[in-house]
Amino acid sequence: MSLPHAILIALLEKPSSGLELTRRFDKSIGYFWSATHQQIYRELGKLEAEGFIRTLPAQQPARGQKKSYEVLPAGRAELARWTAASQDPRPHRDTLLLRMRAAAVVGTEGVEADLRRHLALHQRQLAEYEEIEKRDFPPGKDSSQDRLRHLVLRAGLDLETFWTQWLTHALDEFAELPGHETA
């Protein structure tokens, strides 16, 4: 997924300023596609130059007023083209898994403590996703848009469930290693 497409999605959901987009990224899209404030503003300029978005007219002319953007038909067409295009999955890259391989050849010092830290982080993220699911997807909320958004959240829930289970298993394995001492 590319940042320009993530911005088009967010703007189609709700015309926004760059600052509002940054805040919305932190609360939704940012769970699976992150971007800094500077990256968002840079992409907004490019999208506007390409004719995919436009600045909304200001309610009252004022110096320093934040610009709000909306998607133009060309932007909607680009997002539809991108959505329909086929893409192959990318190989998963994770430094924790690479470090586990390294531990097999150089020793496990420090790894168990980091596994526990990762487990706590994934447990917190899983709890946050579960709260979002309870709040935003109660029974009966089943429009097409809601169902597709819920699928995205389900991916997050399933990934965090996987990581908490895998990390728990990894810590159990550590406990059985010869010469193991609790970290």
Side-chain angles (χ1 to χ4, degrees):
M1 179 176 185
S2 68
L3 181 55
H5 296 104
I7 291 171
L8 289 171
I9 294 165
L11 289 175
L12 279 169
E13 290 175 342
K14 180 183 176 196
S16 305
S17 69
L19 181 58
E20 291 166 338
L21 281 173
T22 300
R23 289 180 181 147
R24 288 176 53 217
F25 263 69
D26 289 344
K27 293 179 183 174
S28 62
I29 291 175
Y31 285 117
F32 55 91
W33 194 263
S34 62
T36 66
H37 189 73
Q38 294 85 358
Q39 289 172 314
I40 289 172
Y41 274 96
R42 190 175 23 227
E43 289 301 326
L44 285 168
K46 290 178 186 177
L47 289 166
E48 192 168 25
E50 292 172 6
F52 291 154
I53 64 172
R54 74 175 181 115
T55 305
L56 289 169
Q59 300 288 351
Q60 301 170 344
R63 196 165 181 256
Q65 183 177 2
K66 62 184 176 183
K67 295 181 193 178
S68 287
Y69 300 89
E70 71 176 352
V71 177
L72 295 171
R76 181 180 283 277
E78 167 54 23
L79 187 59
R81 181 209 59 79
W82 177 80
T83 301
S86 175
Q87 293 183 348
D88 292 336
R90 293 185 179 181
H92 181 72
R93 294 171 59 173
D94 191 291
T95 56
L96 179 63
L97 298 178
L98 191 58
R99 289 175 50 232
M100 291 292 288
R101 286 291 294 258
V105 293
V106 298
T108 61
E109 186 175 334
V111 176
E112 184 177 6
D114 204 38
L115 289 172
R116 290 185 189 288
R117 185 180 70 81
H118 276 253
L119 178 58
L121 292 169
H122 285 288
Q123 287 170 329
R124 276 198 302 273
Q125 190 63 63
L126 178 58
E128 186 173 342
Y129 285 164
E130 289 169 341
E131 282 300 312
I132 292 169
E133 184 176 43
K134 277 188 233 170
R135 180 190 71 218
D136 294 349
F137 299 101
K141 190 172 183 181
D142 61 358
S143 71
S144 295
Q145 287 181 332
D146 289 332
R147 292 174 73 174
L148 293 173
R149 287 183 182 124
H150 194 194
L151 273 174
V152 174
L153 178 61
R154 281 288 346 147
L157 285 160
D158 291 347
L159 283 169
E160 294 305 327
T161 299
F162 161 78
W163 279 113
T164 57
Q165 290 173 347
W166 183 86
L167 286 158
T168 300
H169 177 75
L171 287 164
D172 290 345
E173 288 290 326
F174 260 77
E176 294 182 18
L177 293 176
H180 173 266
E181 294 179 23
T182 302

